[in-house]
Amino acid sequence: MPSAAAMHGTGSPARFGPARPRFTAAAVLAAGTALLLAGCSGQAGNARVDAVDAGGDGTLRIGLLLDNTGKQSFLNASQLAAAKLAVQEVNAAGGHKGRPVQLLPEKNSEDTASQAKELVAAGADVVIGPTDSSRAPGAIDVLSRAKVAIISPANAAHGLTRYRSGGYYFRTSAADTAQAPVLVKLAKDSGARTIAILHEDGMYGKDVSVAVAAAAKAAGLGTVAEAAFTAGQAQQAAASAKAAGPDSVILVARAGAQGAIAELNNAGMAGSKLILSDGAINQYGSALGSKALEGARGILPGIFPSAHFQGELVAVDPGLKDMTFAAETYDAVNLAAIAAAAAQDDAGSSIAAKLMSVSGQQGAEAVQPCRSYKECGDAIKAGRPVDYDGESGPIGFDSNGDVTTANYMVFTYAADNTARMSGSETAARAGS
């Protein structure tokens, strides 16, 4: 997830949230085409794969880092409900080695380092969070030194792939750059042979635009223009795109997205020519000129939650109105418990050492996926390898703790500049 300053929207039904929309009713058209994620990210060997000596006390304790405040505070409830649901199901299936798994009392704070220290003091073996990528380093530094495994359900900053964690940091959400081949595929599916890339200045815009250019080259599309802009100053970039005459324009932006779309519309380069990155998609409505986005497409990470999963979450929290990051949180808790079961130990180092294998990175061996803690636990007891595929889809942590499969929802804009879900795409790569 981007830093709070970079995020847009409130996540209400009228707008998209910082990385996911509220999951209200929408028409879903399954496309489901597998794409190749650009490259093998980061340096190999960051995630733990070595065997460790058992060091747990027999009770698996899970902590949460809830770091959302202000307009983003709605994100806390979905993650908390998902964590509670997962722990309930794990305990219903017998817990860890016959003992109930403990979900430590939650606290909401932007000071993730202090939160992390409190969770270490409380005996956490694994911590789920944080949400905000900008706060991840502070948490990783504290928790990795304490040999506590960390699984974030929301961090998307590409740079975290390379962050030194001693092999204790994982995330069930894909890095921002994973969307690049999906954006390129949308352009190619529309018949485009050439693209222009407009990106907002900043790490997100630069990282994703570089990945888009590489994905376009791999897909045989020509990139005829690449232009950067600052928020509110996109006129020159839009003019550059128009002069190059591309078949499609891919906009990679966050805070400056609305202004850039307006400038592209003025240049005759919006509408169906336009493809929006996950940071740029929003419910713009009357904030843009009539039909400015008609036919435009954009993507958001994740998959539409099943009715069953939604019902289970609401049963945990009847007041829940948003399910952003719920699937990723639920899967993070399950993976931690399954890793502890596979290791027969609840110590953070043992969990970190098993997360790659239980997530499905079994080398060349084909493994039948299991979809719950009980199902995976039964396989472990029978001496079989496991591959947990959860509510967020297949995961398969690579040696940097990154997922090797990224799922995206595709949205198409109507004449009133509002978007509705119109499909889905999956980008996958081999683990590094």
Side-chain angles (χ1 to χ4, degrees), residues 10 31 37 48 68 104 136 151 166 209 236 246 248 267 301 318 320 343 348 359:
T10 62
L37 286 178
R48 295 184 65 86
N68 304 289
L104 298 176
I151 312 175
S209 65
Q236 185 174 346
S248 290
L320 191 65
S359 71

Side-chain angles (χ1 to χ4, degrees), residues 72-85:
Q72 310 308 327
S73 61
F74 71 90
L75 294 169
N76 296 326
S78 58
Q79 294 177 70
L80 180 58
K84 286 181 176 179
L85 173 62

Side-chain angles (χ1 to χ4, degrees), residues 68-417:
N68 304 289
T69 58
K71 290 183 178 181
Q72 310 308 327
S73 61
F74 71 90
L75 294 169
N76 296 326
S78 58
Q79 294 177 70
L80 180 58
K84 286 181 176 179
L85 173 62
V87 169
Q88 287 176 8
E89 293 179 352
V90 170
N91 288 336
H96 174 67
K97 299 176 74 170
R99 294 186 183 182
V101 173
Q102 294 181 10
L103 184 62
L104 298 176
E106 75 278 1
K107 177 183 177 182
N108 179 33
S109 171
E110 293 183 355
D111 188 347
T112 52
S114 294
Q115 279 183 287
K117 291 175 183 176
E118 291 178 11
L119 290 170
V120 170
D125 301 300
V126 60
V127 168
I128 311 302
T131 306
D132 196 317
S133 291
S134 70
R135 300 190 182 110
I140 294 170
D141 290 346
V142 171
L143 295 170
S144 62
R145 283 197 299 268
K147 297 184 178 180
V148 175
I150 314 134
I151 312 175
S152 172
N155 292 167
H158 176 59
L160 290 172
T161 291
R162 300 179 294 274
Y163 196 84
R164 291 284 187 176
S165 72
Y168 283 92
Y169 174 70
F170 300 78
R171 47 183 170 175
T172 48
S173 57
D176 290 323
T177 52
Q179 67 186 289
V182 177
L183 296 170
V184 169
K185 182 179 184 296
L186 293 182
K188 193 168 185 177
D189 285 351
S190 68
R193 299 177 66 180
T194 60
I195 62 169
I197 306 169
L198 268 65
H199 77 266
E200 188 173 2
D201 277 339
M203 189 171 295
Y204 168 81
K206 291 176 182 177
D207 285 347
V208 177
S209 65
V210 168
V212 168
K217 183 177 180 180
L221 270 64
T223 301
V224 295
E226 294 183 61
F229 65 91
T230 57
Q233 302 292 327
Q235 185 175 9
Q236 185 174 346
S240 296
K242 181 179 181 180
D247 298 322
S248 290
V249 177
I250 296 177
L251 175 64
V252 182
R254 284 189 174 133
Q258 182 173 314
I261 294 168
E263 294 293 354
L264 286 165
N265 186 45
N266 291 338
M269 300 298 293
S272 60
K273 281 183 172 285
L274 187 58
I275 296 167
L276 306 178
S277 72
D278 64 356
I281 189 170
N282 211 327
Q283 298 291 30
Y284 292 101
S286 59
L288 291 170
S290 178
K291 299 184 178 183
L293 284 172
E294 185 175 15
R297 287 156 296 156
I299 62 173
L300 287 172
I303 59 177
F304 199 84
S306 68
H308 176 73
F309 184 54
Q310 292 184 62
E312 288 185 317
L313 289 169
V314 172
V316 171
D317 180 0
L320 191 65
K321 296 179 180 179
D322 187 282
M323 298 185 184
T324 305
F325 303 130
E328 291 83 356
T329 302
Y330 176 85
D331 287 348
V333 173
N334 273 317
L335 282 162
I338 293 165
Q344 283 296 293
D345 184 43
D346 54 274
S349 55
S350 296
I351 292 168
K354 288 292 184 180
L355 279 170
M356 274 187 71
S357 63
V358 301
S359 71
Q361 288 301 95
Q362 302 284 347
E365 184 178 5
V367 178
Q368 180 67 32
C370 50
R371 303 186 182 279
S372 68
Y373 174 79
K374 184 180 186 307
E375 188 180 346
C376 292
D378 288 345
I380 291 169
K381 291 175 184 176
R384 300 193 304 270
V386 299
D387 171 5
Y388 175 74
D389 287 357
E391 289 294 333
S392 64
I395 296 164
F397 289 127
D398 70 7
S399 61
N400 296 302
D402 285 343
V403 296
T404 53
T405 298
N407 297 294
Y408 293 90
M409 296 173 285
V410 180
F411 291 80
T412 301
Y413 281 86
D416 62 356
N417 300 324

